[in-house]
């Protein structure tokens, strides 16, 4: 990829991750209010697990976008990432 394309793709990943993080934080807040009011049902646990999972996905999207913008590599492994 060209440097411009790499930076643009990284920026899109960071924006997508930030929007997903914002949405999941709002969703988590709604779940907390429902739990405090006693409106929590058995399906609420699935809702909570999926919300936390999506929070992790949002952070990973932002991290991958940051790495893509910075040096174009998603992996943290040392070396030049070439197959010998």
């Amino acid at each position: 990829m060209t440097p411009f394309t790499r930076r643009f793709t990284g920026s899109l990943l960071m924006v997508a991750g930030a929007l997903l993080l914002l949405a999941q934080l709002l969703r988590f807040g709604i779940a907390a209010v429902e739990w405090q009011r006693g409106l929590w049902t058995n399906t609420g646990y699935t809702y909570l697990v999926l919300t936390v999972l999506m929070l992790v996905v949002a952070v990973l999207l932002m991290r991958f976008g940051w790495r893509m913008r910075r040096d174009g590599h998603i992996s943290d492994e040392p070396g030049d990432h070439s197959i010998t």
Side-chain angles (χ1 to χ4, degrees), residues 46-83:
T46 304
Y47 185 83
L48 182 63
V49 168
L50 286 176
T51 301
V52 171
L53 181 65
M54 292 303 285
L55 282 170
V56 170
V57 168
V59 170
L60 285 175
L61 268 174
M62 289 175 32
R63 181 183 179 277
F64 290 159
W66 180 260
R67 295 275 306 182
M68 181 80 69
R69 281 187 58 85
R70 194 175 69 182
D71 61 2
H73 299 290
I74 292 177
S75 175
D76 286 332
E77 295 175 4
D80 61 355
H81 305 287
S82 63
I83 300 174

Side-chain angles (χ1 to χ4, degrees), residues 5 14 19 27 31 37 40 44 46 52 55 63 65 79 84:
T5 307
M14 288 174 55
L19 290 174
R27 186 176 174 181
R37 289 185 180 173
W40 203 252
T46 304
V52 171
L55 282 170
R63 181 183 179 277
T84 56

Side-chain angles (χ1 to χ4, degrees), residues 2-3 7-9 16 18 21-22 27-29 31 35-36 41 58 67 70 73-74 80 83:
T2 65
R7 285 192 303 268
F8 184 69
T9 304
L21 183 68
L22 179 65
R27 186 176 174 181
F28 192 74
W35 180 69
Q36 279 190 339
T41 62
R67 295 275 306 182
R70 194 175 69 182
H73 299 290
I74 292 177
D80 61 355
I83 300 174

